[in-house]
Amino acid sequence: MRPQVLTIAGSDSGGGAGIQADLKTFQELGAFGTSVLTAITAQNTLGVHGIEAISTEMIIGQIDAVTDDFNITACKTGMLVDAERIEAVAKALERHRFEHVVVDPVMVAKGGASLLQENAIEALRTKLLPHATVVTPNIPEAEVLAGIKIRTESDRMKAAHSIRGLGVDVVIIKGGHTEGVEAVDLIVTESEAFQVSAPRIKTKDTHGTGCTFSAALTAELAYGKTLRQAVVDAKQFIHQAITHGLSIGQGHGPTNHWGHRLAKEEVITVDVLYETSAR
């Protein structure tokens, strides 16, 4: 049976990020995607021009309707807007206890618009992350969650352990904001740390990369893959989505969700930093 997965996120009218990117990714990977909208945005490749939040009652109603009928094995969250909606989603996650919960801590859109209110940071850290199995911040988001500046690899490791201390099982700090010929993601669990790398692609078409990666990871985990294999496959998926850009829109263009169909070569490398029974 195909895995049934859920995304709880905002709508991107431009189609490159949010609910739209998640559902496209689920479909490409053969998972059946369901969705819960938390907000509607007036958005395109040039930026976010308006945000209208969905009521908490409707958010909970959507979650309950989906879970009452579908066998959801993995769930991801994206744009959650504010503390009120984060707390509502966290309570729903506590009730439903999905096997895998991937939290993409969406804070800022590619064009710079804030997608998470300042009062929501503490709710994200204390209410939502304890229910997450995986969290996938980029460098700026990891700095906010950990409360430290990340300048070195040592800083990144320190931040990952700090974020794990908030109650999440697995921390993936993505490397898209770093320099270098490769984009290197750091993955830290209770018993291991490893990095996955892919060649960095020079392009402005990167809108929705975080949503797409976390959605791919959600689908791969729903198939029952090991964490390491799921991360590698999700990294491969987003790398091909960036590599085979669509070159549409006037700003930060969307990634190509069918890019994986155009090239099958494996470009991801894995570097194990440590493996131990406890850390």
Side-chain angles (χ1 to χ4, degrees), residues 214-278:
S214 57
L217 181 61
T218 302
E220 301 293 8
L221 289 171
Y223 274 106
K225 294 183 179 180
T226 64
L227 172 68
R228 191 176 299 181
Q229 189 61 57
V231 171
V232 168
D233 290 348
K235 180 80 166 178
Q236 173 79 3
F237 185 89
I238 188 58
H239 175 76
Q240 299 299 353
I242 296 171
T243 300
H244 302 283
L246 297 170
S247 299
I248 59 177
Q250 302 172 59
H252 293 285
T255 62
N256 181 355
H257 292 92
W258 60 87
H260 68 111
R261 304 186 203 177
L262 304 177
K264 297 298 183 181
E265 74 275 10
E266 294 292 333
V267 298
I268 309 302
T269 59
V270 179
D271 178 22
V272 177
L273 303 180
Y274 67 75
E275 291 179 298
T276 180
S277 59

Side-chain angles (χ1 to χ4, degrees), residues 98-162:
F98 302 117
E99 183 177 355
H100 303 287
V101 177
V102 177
V103 171
D104 181 14
V106 178
M107 296 181 186
V108 178
K110 190 66 67 179
S114 175
L115 298 178
L116 186 66
Q117 295 182 10
E118 284 297 322
N119 69 349
I121 301 298
E122 190 61 18
L124 179 64
R125 297 174 78 252
T126 62
K127 303 295 185 181
L128 186 62
L129 288 189
H131 299 293
T133 47
V134 185
V135 63
T136 62
N138 57 32
I139 294 289
E141 291 163 347
E143 289 181 331
V144 172
L145 293 176
I148 65 172
K149 288 293 183 182
I150 299 175
R151 296 288 183 263
T152 65
E153 290 304 309
S154 177
D155 292 339
R156 184 149 42 154
M157 183 67 75
K158 181 179 178 181
H161 283 292
S162 176

Side-chain angles (χ1 to χ4, degrees), residues 9-13 20 37-43 48-54 79 81:
S11 168
D12 172 8
S13 55
Q20 288 82 352
L37 259 65
T38 59
I40 300 169
T41 68
Q43 187 175 174
V48 178
H49 307 287
I51 298 173
E52 186 171 307
I54 305 296
M79 177 187 178
V81 187

